[in-house]
Amino acid sequence: MEEASPPLRCFRDSHSSELFNDDGVQTVTSREQRKVERSIQEVYSVYQQIHTSPHREQQRKERERERTGCLDASRPWLCYWILHSLELLEEPVPAAVASDVCQFLAKCQNRTGGFGGGPGQHAHLAPTYAAVNALCILGTDEAYKVINREKLLDFLYSVKQPDGSFVMHVGGEVDVRSAYCAASVASLTNIITPNLFDGTHNWILSCQNWEGGLGGVPGLEAHGGYTFCGTAAMVILGKEHMLDLKALLRWVTSKQMRFEGGFQGRCNKLVDGCYSFWQAGLLPSRDFYHTCYCLSGLSIAQHFGNKDLHNELILGRDENRLAPTHPVYNICPEKVAQAIEYFHQLSVPVQTGPTPSAMDQS
């Protein structure tokens, strides 16, 4: 007979006391927060009825159709989100499918370096990050050889700015995501040159504000996604100690909402499942993006901390256990180690493109 799963946090008698308290001051945000909590309470109630009844709910007959037209410029992201979700679930990818993904991503690689959002699209740091991660998850010789490291380095220099920041694409916007994407792909593929990240850590430091988190650019409010990107980039560059880590930790933990258990991205915003990874928690989701990051967040929650307490961090049966994910690169640790070992056997390519100071920064 199977052991009964421990009661969920939301079924504790004390959980109702964790509902949002507006202190008698209603705002648009507080009304929306109460609306969300009422919706979540309904979900909790249904879940409780299902799992305290001898009968299980019949499987859903209809599934919400994915709307992929708006993701035409995010096709390497679809590869990454799906592949990373599968590796966390420890589901193998058939060799033929892996080869098809390699061939598709090769078509997304721009002749001047980097990857676009789809075949024939301009190189952009975001899909470049997604493509490199996807190829490292596959981890085959075919996958690694898709990446043109010399041209990738040229692309990184073409989007590097004199102040240490990076634009997402030539002529594009600057924010801390681009610094993380650049640092991630350069470190995984072993193409970091002595001056590629000159000034980058100082620019990222200027994005940490009085709240303790990091904004997209200096002067903006702290945001969960940007905070992760800036902090992870600083870890890759070996400069994380320069951040105000105490203030950073205080801000991140304050973003977990009491009743839902999930994380909001910034103050006075509603919870979102993707911040399960960006800020470490868990909420359910229904698309590849949120599935990937909710699973990543659950993996972080399960595998973080004292190994002696590991079993206590798995809610329910042992089959709920996920594979661990690397907290900086967000692919499984062995795939990170495998990629680093492969690319560190190769020499760092020599820059052939123009230096940042020689480029038109207009």
Side-chain angles (χ1 to χ4, degrees):
M1 184 175 181
E2 294 182 345
E3 295 183 4
S5 301
L8 292 179
R9 173 176 174 270
C10 57
F11 298 153
R12 296 200 307 256
D13 292 338
S14 61
H15 188 59
S16 60
S17 65
E18 297 172 347
L19 287 165
F20 179 72
N21 179 10
D22 63 8
D23 293 323
V25 180
Q26 287 196 10
T27 64
V28 173
T29 303
S30 69
R31 287 192 289 270
E32 289 296 314
Q33 177 64 27
R34 286 183 177 277
K35 187 187 300 183
V36 169
E37 291 184 352
R38 284 195 298 269
S39 299
I40 291 174
Q41 183 64 67
E42 293 175 5
V43 174
Y44 285 164
S45 298
V46 171
Y47 185 91
Q48 188 172 27
Q49 292 172 9
I50 293 171
H51 288 270
T52 55
S53 168
H55 303 289
R56 298 291 185 183
E57 182 188 42
Q58 292 184 354
Q59 292 187 348
R60 297 179 184 271
K61 295 181 179 180
E62 296 182 358
R63 299 287 184 182
E64 184 178 345
R65 291 184 178 181
E66 292 292 336
R67 297 181 178 178
T68 59
C70 63
L71 295 173
D72 182 61
S74 302
R75 293 165 74 182
W77 280 107
L78 293 171
C79 295
Y80 166 58
W81 294 331
I82 295 170
L83 288 173
H84 183 47
S85 298
L86 289 172
E87 73 167 342
L88 288 175
L89 295 168
E90 299 184 284
E91 289 291 331
V93 177
V97 173
S99 184
D100 286 344
V101 173
C102 291
Q103 293 175 45
F104 169 73
L105 291 176
K107 295 178 181 177
C108 297
Q109 188 165 212
N110 196 281
R111 61 182 179 81
T112 59
F115 292 78
Q121 298 182 23
H122 291 300
H124 190 290
L125 272 172
T128 295
Y129 164 84
V132 170
N133 267 13
L135 292 166
C136 288
I137 289 171
L138 293 176
T140 61
D141 196 57
E142 179 186 11
Y144 292 145
K145 288 182 177 178
V146 167
I147 304 170
N148 187 327
R149 297 165 65 246
E150 291 76 12
K151 292 295 184 181
L152 177 57
L153 180 59
D154 287 345
F155 170 62
L156 294 183
Y157 270 110
S158 74
V159 292
K160 171 74 182 298
Q161 304 300 291
D163 62 359
S165 65
F166 288 78
V167 292
M168 294 299 285
H169 58 92
V170 175
E173 75 278 16
V174 169
D175 64 51
V176 77
R177 295 173 305 157
S178 49
Y180 166 65
C181 290
S184 179
V185 301
S187 59
L188 279 175
T189 60
N190 187 32
I191 59 172
I192 296 181
T193 58
N195 62 351
L196 179 58
F197 292 103
D198 280 354
T200 301
H201 64 282
N202 286 326
W203 186 84
I204 294 174
L205 281 176
S206 68
C207 294
Q208 187 173 27
N209 66 11
W210 62 271
E211 298 173 88
L214 281 73
V217 295
L220 292 188
E221 67 175 323
H223 181 281
Y226 292 128
T227 297
F228 167 82
C229 288
T231 304
M234 292 290 275
V235 170
I236 291 172
L237 300 177
K239 303 290 186 180
E240 70 276 9
H241 61 279
M242 299 180 71
L243 291 165
D244 186 341
L245 296 176
K246 184 176 181 180
L248 177 64
L249 180 62
R250 181 177 63 245
W251 181 82
V252 170
T253 55
S254 73
K255 296 305 101 190
Q256 186 175 26
M257 300 301 286
R258 293 177 299 176
F259 181 75
E260 305 95 299
F263 287 77
Q264 58 181 186
R266 48 196 170 109
C267 291
N268 280 339
K269 294 297 179 182
L270 304 179
V271 298
D272 189 320
C274 64
Y275 297 110
S276 304
F277 176 71
W278 304 134
Q279 297 179 177
L282 179 70
L283 279 179
S285 62
R286 290 191 181 187
D287 60 66
F288 296 135
Y289 169 82
H290 287 90
T291 297
C292 171
Y293 290 112
C294 285
L295 287 172
S296 299
L298 179 56
S299 173
I300 289 290
Q302 289 180 343
H303 294 279
F304 176 79
N306 192 327
K307 292 184 178 180
D308 295 335
L309 301 176
H310 182 66
N311 291 334
E312 298 180 16
L313 302 177
I314 308 299
L315 182 64
R317 303 181 182 89
D318 191 63
E319 64 187 20
N320 292 339
R321 184 191 309 272
L322 297 177
T325 190
H326 196 290
V328 171
Y329 297 102
N330 201 23
I331 60 179
C332 285
E334 64 270 20
K335 297 298 178 63
V336 173
Q338 182 179 323
I340 289 176
E341 180 181 5
Y342 178 90
F343 289 113
H344 274 255
Q345 296 174 3
L346 309 176
S347 59
V348 177
V350 177
Q351 179 199 353
T352 58
T355 61
S357 59
M359 293 187 298
D360 179 12
Q361 303 298 331
S362 60

